[in-house]
Amino acid sequence: MKIKSQKDFFAGLMFAIVGIAFAWGATTYNVGSGARMGPGYFPMMLGIVLAVLGLVVIFSALAIETVDGDPIGKIAWKPLGFIIGANLIFGVLLGGVVSWGLPAMGLIAAIYALVLIAGLAGEQYSFKASLILATILAVGSYLAFVVALKLQFQVWPTFISG
């Protein structure tokens, strides 16, 4: 038996490993039952579904009749760096880093930074399109989290909101 598609095989393997890790980690919480779900119920079910999906992808990537598989290309370091960096910057701007003396800049600034930096990961970058997307995400996030769900967290930088 040969691997028909290495990309699918390793993607399925990653899904299965992450799903098993989530399901295993959920066992440290009270899972409960379908009628009375505990805090570990959703991560457990999500992990199981993800692991099963990964196994389906793995088995679909295996074939008996193939001569050689579809090789995995080289790792795209630039997009990977921009996406991970954008998420790290988002976390730093949203919560601040007390030990470094960086104050929290709030949700709006964090979303703008996230979108503008993550946009650099693509092959074609449009500053205008990134600003439009960031504005839509910032307004939508504000309406969903602050207005609708009434979550209490910093939306604006302290030098703006006081």
Side-chain angles (χ1 to χ4, degrees):
M1 188 177 307
K2 300 242 183 199
I3 296 176
K4 177 172 54 176
S5 173
Q6 289 185 11
K7 293 176 185 177
D8 289 346
F9 179 80
F10 287 112
L13 185 64
M14 181 189 66
F15 283 168
I17 290 170
V18 170
I20 291 167
F22 262 81
W24 192 351
T27 60
T28 62
Y29 297 108
N30 180 17
V31 177
S33 65
R36 294 190 53 90
M37 297 176 201
Y41 189 85
F42 182 73
M44 173 74 80
M45 292 301 122
L46 182 66
I48 291 171
V49 168
L50 192 60
V52 168
L53 200 113
L55 292 174
V56 168
V57 172
I58 287 172
F59 289 124
S60 70
L62 298 175
I64 297 173
E65 71 276 354
T66 187
V67 176
D68 60 349
D70 182 24
I72 296 178
K74 62 180 185 170
I75 296 175
W77 291 107
K78 178 188 165 201
L80 184 65
F82 278 121
I83 297 298
I84 291 174
N87 284 289
L88 290 173
I89 297 286
F90 176 81
V92 167
L93 289 177
L94 186 63
V97 181
V98 178
S99 62
W100 292 352
L102 293 171
M105 297 301 284
L107 178 69
I108 304 301
I111 288 176
Y112 272 90
L114 172 76
V115 173
L116 292 174
I117 295 170
L120 295 169
E123 293 178 14
Q124 298 175 349
Y125 179 69
S126 170
F127 185 71
K128 181 181 175 184
S130 292
L131 280 178
I132 291 170
L133 177 61
T135 302
I136 292 169
L137 286 173
V139 169
S141 296
Y142 178 79
L143 291 175
F145 297 119
V146 176
V147 175
L149 294 174
K150 299 193 183 348
L151 296 178
Q152 298 294 319
F153 57 88
Q154 189 171 345
V155 177
W156 300 102
T158 53
F159 61 85
I160 293 176
S161 62

